[in-house]
Amino acid sequence: MKEMIMEANVECILSDGTVLRADIYRPNQEESFPALMIRLPYDKRTRRYYDEYLSVPRMVSAGYVVILQDVRGRYASDGEFYPFIHEGSDGYEAVEWAARLPYCNGDVGLFGMSYHGYTQLAAAVEAPPSLKAIAPVMTMGDPWSELLSGGSQASNVGNIETWTIASIMEDVLARRSDPKLEKVSRYIEELPEWLHYAPANEWPPMMDLDPESFFFDAINGLVKEEHREKMSLLSKLPDVKIPALFMGGWFDALLPPTLKAYQAYGGTSMLWIGPWTHEEMSGRAGDKFFAGGAEKIGVDGITDPTELHIAWFNKWLKNEQLPMEEKVHLYLTGQERWESFDSWPPISSRKEFYLSSDGASQSRYGDGLLKGEPDHGSTASLLKLDPEHPFPTNGGGVLMAGQSSGMFEQGQLQDRDDVLVYTSAVLEEDLDILGTVRAVVWMSSPTPLLDVFIRLSDVEPDGKVYNLVDTFYRHSVTETDKPVRLGLDINDTAYRFQTGHHIRVEIAASNAPMFDVNLNNGKTTRTAVGGEVAFEKVFHGGETPSRIILPVVE
């Protein structure tokens, strides 16, 4: 006798008549069980959602009905798809539908990562009575600002373009029986080249495939205010009381929004951050591999993420004891071990490294240094931004075609003349950092926009340099050529700089094709082309003490 029964495209009829469909996997037994559901916009039949991200058979063997449901307007479900806006109300109804299934005992949990992490938070905000726990992984609470990058600030065009073409368009066109469907695979193959096209709001792949797409609403900042309100959950999360297991990756593009959601959340919660990227939870992150990242995770040696999810849901849907007590579980990169904490962020002290230069910090062969004290006098280095040759994206947290997430050797990029490089003296002892890396940078711009890309790196004794954390920020200039103080959160990490290594900070004025490029005339490649070369300034010492601030733990 089969241990598991699978039913395909089981219908869930919403109150507005829209039919959502789900594949259901359940134990081949007469009794009823709690249900675990993932609500996703991607193909639920792919292996990733059956036994790669989490193992459906193992969850069924643990005594759960497992439901993989297509969200409104995707794959087998009816309706029109517009990202994020229906997931709260549809999620509420889907949870209550699942609770009424004849083989469900009335208790439901939600799981999933990225977009389907968001679908959980959106449903939890609506507080369906049968929803007992959720497990949002690598996700966000405000897609408009955290994924779609709306408004006048830097636009994450590379990620949006990649997601729309590679993850969304195939099903959009297939549902219409559109003959342009056959073009999608070619556009996906050519995506790394297409990402450099400007302006983004006239992007040929989408102008060809679907000129009325939500894509253009996002790029042009035209998403309706009512839609933005529906999308944004951060202000609503403090009122949610449903227990939540948050998981993030140190090298995931969505780590900052995952942590924002966790810190805003009002219900009982637990946080796990591993040496993971958005693509995999194997311990591989670019050129580096972190042992203990995929199996025997946490100080309690949980088998893997599937086992962690089962333990979490067993607590809230079956009233079983959790095998771990602490609220926060972090993998410490550079030490290759896990540690548990009472809260996030853990207690740390500030260690500041001041940028120092006589004005020639361009490239790693310049005179840029990181010092323990600021220089007495103020100096400035010119930072070149050539819109025709922007500083290139390479590693870190990316969701973009032609790029991989994680730590990669950056030395060749630091040979360029459009990057400022500052390096510490050799470390005489290990330096452990844990928490949010911050920077205070004094800069000026001769144009209406000031763009800054900051990256913290680790220089090994052989001279190889690997990225750790970075951020990109755009500032609207009120007075050209006047120094302004920018206080920036670079990103979060848990890392050991080892004895004999150097700490390095690099600053550029672009990060392309991940972000739209400043054309030095008040416009960017999101909506315009052309532009000209310009030079921003980065100031050091005196009354303009630019510095990197590290969260140090003993």
Side-chain angles (χ1 to χ4, degrees), residues 80-103:
E80 292 294 323
F81 176 73
Y82 197 100
F84 306 108
I85 66 173
H86 298 293
E87 307 310 349
S89 56
D90 286 1
Y92 181 104
E93 293 195 46
V95 166
E96 295 308 305
W97 162 80
R100 295 191 300 268
L101 291 170
Y103 32 76

Side-chain angles (χ1 to χ4, degrees), residues 270-346:
M270 181 178 287
L271 174 67
W272 287 66
I273 306 178
W276 304 318
T277 70
H278 206 75
E279 297 84 8
E280 59 178 312
M281 302 171 78
S282 66
R284 174 70 59 189
D287 290 340
K288 299 292 186 178
F289 179 81
F290 299 97
E295 299 176 345
K296 302 296 182 184
I297 63 175
V299 295
D300 300 287
I302 303 298
T303 303
D304 57 16
T306 295
E307 187 65 27
L308 175 58
H309 277 70
I310 290 172
W312 177 255
F313 288 119
N314 282 352
K315 163 66 176 177
W316 302 108
L317 279 73
K318 296 185 177 183
N319 199 31
E320 295 183 8
Q321 188 71 29
L322 270 173
M324 76 291 292
E325 296 181 358
E326 294 81 1
K327 294 180 179 180
V328 176
H329 303 259
L330 308 176
Y331 185 92
L332 307 182
T333 55
Q335 301 183 51
E336 299 201 338
R337 67 182 180 88
W338 290 85
E339 191 167 332
S340 58
F341 301 86
D342 293 330
S343 63
W344 172 268

